C-alpha cells in the first residue's frame, strides 16, 4: 500500500503543497502558479493541495500525515505582539483556513508541525544525495532563529548553533535593498544582487564578525526587546546607518540606481564575509566534505558561488526551492523520515519539473479558443528540436513549455523563454520582453558534458541556477549575452535525464558549436511563471516573443 505525506507551507507568502509517495517527491506546486497571484500573498495553498491530490487520483483520506513547515502558534506567542497585530497571523493557526472542512472534510489525517529551519534543512539534505553533510540555513526569520548551523548524519538533522532574529542577515539584506528603492512587495532582492556586480565594496557596513553572534554590535543593542519590537527598531537603525555612512546618503532614488552600485557591492561583500565565516565554522565542527544551503538567503547565487570557490567544502548543494515555499517539501520529507525511517530520496534531485503538466488534448482545446489570433501546427518529436534550434540560431526568441512546471523561482527548461547567447542583442531583447532593467543579467543553460569547457567550478552544484560561476576567459566572446559585468554567470547545468531540454540544447550545439542557450523565466512583469497552455498563449500574444512551443505544437501569431 502506498504511503503518502502531504507537505504544506501556509504562511502569508510563498504558500505551496508537496506530495511525497513512499519517500519520493512526486509533486510540488506553488499556489501562485494556479492563482496567478505572485508569491501567493495572503493565500492558503488550497488549489495547490487539490492539484497535488488530483495528480495521483487520491483524496485527503489517502494521506497518512500532513506536515506544516512552521510552528505558527509558538511563533505568534514568542513575538509578543499587540492583540491587533497578532490577529493578522491567527489564521495560520487555524486548520480550517488552509484545509477548509467544506473542501477536505472534518476527518483529517494527523497534522505534524515541523520547526521552520528544520523544514528548510530537510528540504536540502533529503534531496541532495549526501549521506552526511553540514547544513547552513539563513533566512529572514523562522520562529525564533534567523540562521542555523548544523549537520546531518545517519538520517538525523542536528543544529548546534542558532542566531536570533535580532541578528537576521536576511532582514539586513532586505532593508539594504529597500534603501535603494528596488525592494517592493515581491521582495525583488535579486535586482539588488545584480546591481552589486557594478560596484566596489568601498562603504562602511554595520555587519561585523563577532564570536558572540551579535552581528550588528556597532548598532544600539536591542537584545532585550521583544522580537516584534526589535524588528521595527532594527529597520530604523539600518535606515539611519545607511543615511549616515553610505553614499548617496538618502533612500529610494531608484531613478539614479547606479549611484547605489558601491552600496550594493558593500552590502553583498559584508554578507558573503559572514557566510564564509559560518562555513568555516561548520567545517571545523563537522569535518565533513559536503554542505547544503537553504533559506531565502540561499537564493543569493553570488554568495553561493563564493562559498563554492572558497573550497572549504568539496561539494555544495542548493535545492531549487530554498525559500519558504520549499518547506512544504522539507517538512513532508522530515515527517516521512520520522514515521518510516527513510533518510532521503532515492536519487539526487537534478531536475525540477515537479508541477502540473498538460495533455495533447488540453493544448488543442486551448489553441482552438485562440484560433483567430494564432496559427498552430504539430511536428514530429524527432524534428522539433532541430527546427527550434535553427529558429533560435537565426535570432528568434522562443517560448518553451514542456512537461510539469518548475519547482522554485527559476526557469529550468519547463517554462522558459530561450534565445541565442552568441550576441548581446539577445540580452537586450529578453530584458525588453520581460520589461526588466538593462543592467540585469540573463542566465545560461549548458549541457552537463560541456560545462567545464565554458565555466569554472563543479557542474554538479549547478542544476538549479543557484550558484554563480566564472565564465572562462576564452569563452566570453562566444556567449556574451550571458556574461555579467563581473565575468560571472548563473548557469543551469542540463543533464541527459532532462531529456527534451537536453535534446534541444544538443541540437543548437550541433548547429552552432555552442552548447549554451539564454534561459529566462516565461512570465510577464509582476506575474508568476506561466502554468497552463492558456497562460503561455496569453503571455506570448502580449509580448514580443517570436515563437511558442508547447510540447510538440508550434504556435505562431496569426
Amino acid at each position: 500500500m502506498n504511503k503518502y505525506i502531504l507537505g504544506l507551507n501556509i504562511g502569508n507568502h510563498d504558500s505551496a503543497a508537496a506530495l511525497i509517495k513512499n519517500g519520493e517527491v512526486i509533486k510540488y506546486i506553488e499556489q501562485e502558479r494556479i492563482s496567478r497571484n505572485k508569491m501567493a500573498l495572503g493565500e492558503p495553498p488550497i488549489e495547490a493541495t487539490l492539484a497535488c491530490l488530483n495528480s495521483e487520483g487520491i483524496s485527503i483520506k489517502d494521506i497518512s500525515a500532513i506536515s506544516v513547515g512552521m510552528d505558527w502558534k509558538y511563533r505568534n506567542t514568542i513575538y509578543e505582539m499587540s492583540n491587533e497585530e497578532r490577529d493578522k497571523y491567527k489564521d495560520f493557526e487555524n486548520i480550517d483556513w488552509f484545509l477548509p472542512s467544506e473542501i477536505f472534510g472534518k476527518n483529517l489525517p494527523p497534522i505534524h508541525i515541523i520547526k521552520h529551519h528544520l523544514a528548510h534543512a530537510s528540504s536540502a539534505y533529503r534531496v541532495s544525495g549526501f549521506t552526511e553533510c553540514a547544513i547552513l540555513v539563513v533566512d529572514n526569520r523562522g520562529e525564533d532563529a534567523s540562521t542555523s548551523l548544523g549537520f546531518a548524519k545517519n538520517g538525523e538533522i542536528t543544529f548546534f548553533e542558532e542566531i536570533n532574529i535580532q541578528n537576521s542577515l536576511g532582514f539586513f539584506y532586505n532593508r539594504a535593498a529597500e534603501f535603494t528603492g528596488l525592494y517592493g512587495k515581491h521582495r525583488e532582492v535579486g535586482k539588488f544582487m545584480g546591481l552589486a556586480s557594478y560596484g566596489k565594496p568601498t562603504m562602511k557596513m554595520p555587519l561585523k564578525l563577532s564570536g558572540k553572534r551579535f552581528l550588528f554590535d556597532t548598532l544600539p543593542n536591542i537584545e532585550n526587546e521583544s522580537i516584534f519590537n526589535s524588528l521595527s527598531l532594527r529597520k530604523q537603525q539600518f535606515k539611519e546607518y545607511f543615511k549616515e555612512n553610505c553614499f548617496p546618503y538618502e533612500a529610494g532614488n531608484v531613478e539614479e540606481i547606479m549611484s547605489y552600485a558601491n552600496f550594493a557591492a558593500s552590502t553583498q561583500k559584508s554578507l558573503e564575509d559572514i557566510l564564509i565565516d559560518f562555513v568555516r565554522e561548520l567545517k571545523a565542527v563537522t569535518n565533513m566534505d559536503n554542505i547544503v544551503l537553504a533559506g531565502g538567503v540561499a537564493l543569493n547565487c553570488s554568495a553561493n558561488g563564493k562559498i563554492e570557490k572558497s573550497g572549504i567544502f568539496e561539494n555544495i548543494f542548493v535545492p531549487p526551492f530554498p525559500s519558504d515555499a520549499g518547506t512544504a517539501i522539507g517538512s513532508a520529507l522530515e515527517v516521512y523520515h520520522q514515521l518510516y525511517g527513510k533518510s532521503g530520496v532515492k536519487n539526487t534531485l537534478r531536475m525540477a519539473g515537479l508541477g502540473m503538466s498538460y495533455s495533447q488534448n488540453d493544448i488543442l482545446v486551448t489553441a482552438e479558443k485562440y484560433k483567430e489570433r494564432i496559427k498552430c501546427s504539430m511536428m514530429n518529436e524527432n524534428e522539433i528540436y532541430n527546427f527550434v534550434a535553427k529558429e533560435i540560431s537565426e535570432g528568434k526568441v522562443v517560448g518553451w513549455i514542456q512537461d510539469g512546471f518548475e519547482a522554485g523561482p527559476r526557469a529550468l527548461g519547463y517554462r522558459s523563454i530561450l534565445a541565442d547567447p552568441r550576441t548581446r542583442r539577445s540580452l537586450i531583447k529578453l530584458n525588453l520582453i520581460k520589461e526588466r532593467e538593462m543592467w540585469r543579467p540573463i542566465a545560461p543553460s549548458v549541457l552537463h558534458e560541456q560545462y567545464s569547457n565554458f565555466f569554472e567550478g563543479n557542474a554538479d552544484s549547478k542544476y538549479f541556477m543557484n550558484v554563480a560561476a566564472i565564465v572562462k576567459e576564452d569563452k566570453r566572446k562566444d556567449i556574451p549575452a550571458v556574461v555579467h559585468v563581473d565575468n560571472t554567470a548563473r548557469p543551469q547545468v542540463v543533464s541527459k535525464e532532462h531529456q527534451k531540454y537536453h535534446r534541444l540544447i544538443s541540437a543548437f550545439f550541433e548547429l552552432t558549436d555552442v552548447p549554451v542557450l539564454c534561459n529566462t523565466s516565461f512570465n510577464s512583469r509582476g506575474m508568476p511563471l506561466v502554468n497552463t497552455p492558456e497562460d503561455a498563449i496569453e503571455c506570448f500574444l502580449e509580448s514580443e516573443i517570436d515563437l511558442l512551443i508547447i510540447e510538440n505544437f508550434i504556435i505562431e501569431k496569426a
Side-chain angles (χ1 to χ4, degrees):
M1 184 176 173
N2 292 319
K3 298 183 179 76
Y4 291 104
I5 306 291
L6 175 68
L8 301 176
N9 177 47
I10 61 169
N12 57 353
H13 61 86
D14 292 321
S15 65
L19 192 60
I20 309 300
K21 179 181 181 180
N22 302 328
E24 301 297 316
V25 184
I26 60 166
K27 197 63 64 177
Y28 168 74
I29 295 173
E30 293 170 45
Q31 173 69 17
E32 66 164 21
R33 307 293 166 85
I34 302 176
S35 70
R36 313 308 298 154
N37 168 24
K38 192 171 176 68
M39 294 182 70
L41 298 172
E43 291 184 351
I46 295 169
E47 288 85 359
T49 299
L50 289 170
C52 283
L53 297 174
N54 291 340
S55 72
E56 275 288 287
I58 60 174
S59 75
I60 202 79
K61 295 174 184 175
D62 298 298
I63 300 294
S64 302
I66 297 169
S67 67
V68 174
M70 171 76 97
D71 189 339
W72 282 102
K73 188 172 184 180
Y74 171 64
R75 182 254 189 215
N76 290 345
T77 301
I78 64 168
Y79 264 54
E80 300 178 41
M81 297 177 280
S82 65
N83 289 335
E84 181 184 2
E85 193 66 29
R86 196 176 192 279
D87 286 343
K88 296 179 185 177
Y89 296 92
K90 287 214 73 168
D91 273 344
F92 308 139
E93 300 176 40
N94 177 14
I95 294 170
D96 204 58
W97 182 69
F98 57 91
L99 291 169
S101 55
E102 66 266 26
I103 296 173
F104 298 102
K106 293 185 177 178
N107 297 317
L108 295 171
I111 296 176
H112 298 250
I113 304 298
I114 302 298
K115 288 288 289 287
H116 192 61
H117 278 201
L118 178 58
H120 271 312
S122 178
S123 77
Y125 161 56
R126 300 196 190 282
V127 301
S128 68
F130 299 147
T131 54
E132 62 176 38
C133 61
I135 298 171
L136 179 59
V137 177
V138 189
D139 63 3
N140 196 327
R141 55 190 183 270
E143 296 91 351
D144 52 11
S146 61
T147 297
S148 296
L149 285 72
F151 57 88
K153 194 170 185 177
N154 300 324
E156 299 299 324
I157 294 171
T158 303
F159 291 124
F160 61 83
E161 184 173 358
E162 293 186 335
I163 292 169
N164 66 13
I165 291 170
Q166 285 86 342
N167 290 281
S168 168
L169 293 173
F171 191 73
F172 160 70
Y173 201 83
N174 288 353
R175 299 291 72 79
E178 187 176 42
F179 185 72
T180 68
L182 289 174
Y183 187 91
K185 73 173 185 176
H186 297 130
R187 309 182 180 195
E188 299 89 344
V189 291
K191 294 183 184 182
F192 186 68
M193 181 183 69
L195 179 64
S197 300
Y198 289 87
K200 295 180 179 178
T202 57
M203 295 187 187
K204 186 178 170 186
M205 283 286 131
L207 185 55
K208 304 290 182 187
L209 296 174
S210 170
K212 296 178 181 178
R213 297 310 187 206
F214 298 148
L215 301 180
F216 304 102
D217 60 1
T218 58
L219 301 177
N221 191 304
I222 56 170
E223 296 293 320
N224 295 324
E225 296 285 342
S226 71
I227 294 174
F228 181 71
N229 287 342
S230 68
L231 288 170
S232 56
L233 286 169
R234 191 65 97 200
K235 180 177 180 178
Q236 188 60 33
Q237 286 176 359
F238 285 147
K239 189 172 183 179
E240 290 171 1
Y241 184 95
F242 297 149
K243 283 185 173 182
E244 181 68 26
N245 296 285
C246 304
F247 182 85
Y249 310 115
E250 57 185 58
N253 294 333
V254 73
E255 299 84 0
E256 197 204 2
I257 197 62
M258 282 300 160
S259 66
Y260 294 97
N262 288 350
F263 170 72
S266 303
T267 304
Q268 179 71 25
K269 174 71 162 51
S270 64
L271 172 72
E272 291 168 359
D273 288 346
I274 295 290
L275 293 178
I276 292 289
D277 190 55
F278 289 152
V279 170
R280 287 198 182 98
E281 182 177 349
L282 282 162
K283 183 66 174 181
V285 170
T286 68
N287 198 31
M288 292 175 175
D289 295 328
N290 310 313
I291 185 170
V292 300
L293 310 178
V297 175
L299 282 168
N300 191 308
C301 62
S302 297
N304 297 343
K306 295 289 170 55
I307 291 170
E308 182 190 52
K309 196 174 180 183
S310 74
I312 298 167
F313 284 88
E314 287 182 26
N315 303 301
I316 176 175
F317 179 85
V318 187
F321 33 69
S323 68
D324 281 3
T327 63
I329 285 181
S331 63
L333 288 172
E334 189 63 30
V335 168
Y336 196 94
H337 169 69
Q338 292 174 9
L339 295 180
Y340 305 114
K342 188 176 180 185
S343 61
V345 300
K346 186 177 179 182
N347 298 310
T348 303
L349 186 70
R350 290 182 174 173
M351 301 198 311
L354 297 169
M356 296 158 67
S357 56
Y358 297 90
S359 69
Q360 182 173 310
N361 188 59
D362 293 330
I363 300 164
L364 286 169
V365 167
T366 303
E368 180 65 19
K369 286 199 265 181
Y370 292 88
K371 64 183 180 182
E372 303 299 324
R373 302 175 66 191
I374 63 172
K375 294 186 288 183
C376 181
S377 59
M378 192 175 180
M379 187 172 281
N380 181 291
E381 185 167 344
N382 291 325
E383 299 172 333
I384 198 163
Y385 303 105
N386 289 332
F387 169 77
V388 176
K390 189 170 187 296
E391 292 290 304
I392 293 173
S393 74
E394 292 174 355
K396 297 281 179 65
V397 173
V398 174
W400 178 255
I401 309 296
Q402 303 292 329
D403 303 324
F405 58 69
E406 289 88 343
R410 310 263 158 83
L412 298 168
Y414 302 96
R415 303 290 186 274
S416 291
I417 303 174
L418 308 175
D420 189 338
R422 297 174 300 163
T423 169
R424 197 74 176 170
R425 296 298 306 173
S426 292
L427 177 142
I428 296 167
K429 284 177 76 172
L430 290 172
N431 277 338
L432 284 170
I433 286 168
K434 296 288 297 292
E435 298 180 69
R436 292 172 17 135
E437 299 85 355
M438 279 301 158
W439 46 268
R440 292 176 63 188
I442 292 291
S445 295
V446 58
L447 297 178
H448 184 283
E449 55 271 30
Q450 289 291 325
Y451 173 86
S452 60
N453 291 329
F454 282 76
F455 304 97
E456 294 181 5
N458 183 0
D460 288 322
S461 64
K462 301 182 181 72
Y463 291 105
F464 308 120
M465 290 187 187
N466 282 335
V467 181
I470 297 288
V471 183
K472 290 191 171 180
E473 187 173 359
D474 64 330
K475 296 297 184 183
R476 291 170 195 165
K477 67 182 185 311
D478 296 334
I479 51 171
V482 297
V483 182
H484 198 29
V485 67
D486 59 358
N487 296 319
T488 66
R490 186 178 67 191
Q492 175 204 2
V493 170
V494 181
S495 70
K496 288 181 180 177
E497 299 167 75
H498 199 335
Q499 294 179 9
K500 295 178 181 178
Y501 198 34
H502 189 277
R503 287 182 69 180
L504 175 62
I505 302 173
S506 297
F508 186 80
F509 180 32
E510 193 173 322
L511 198 62
T512 65
D513 286 331
V514 173
V516 176
L517 287 176
C518 296
N519 177 8
T520 191
S521 55
F522 197 158
N523 63 311
S524 53
R525 187 173 185 175
M527 293 295 289
L529 271 75
V530 298
N531 165 9
T532 65
E534 185 164 355
D535 295 338
I537 291 172
E538 284 285 347
C539 189
F540 169 62
L541 289 171
E542 292 167 8
S543 72
E544 295 301 311
I545 298 171
D546 299 304
L547 194 65
L548 173 60
I549 310 297
I550 307 181
E551 299 295 338
N552 288 2
F553 290 89
I554 298 166
I555 297 172
E556 301 169 87
K557 291 165 184 165

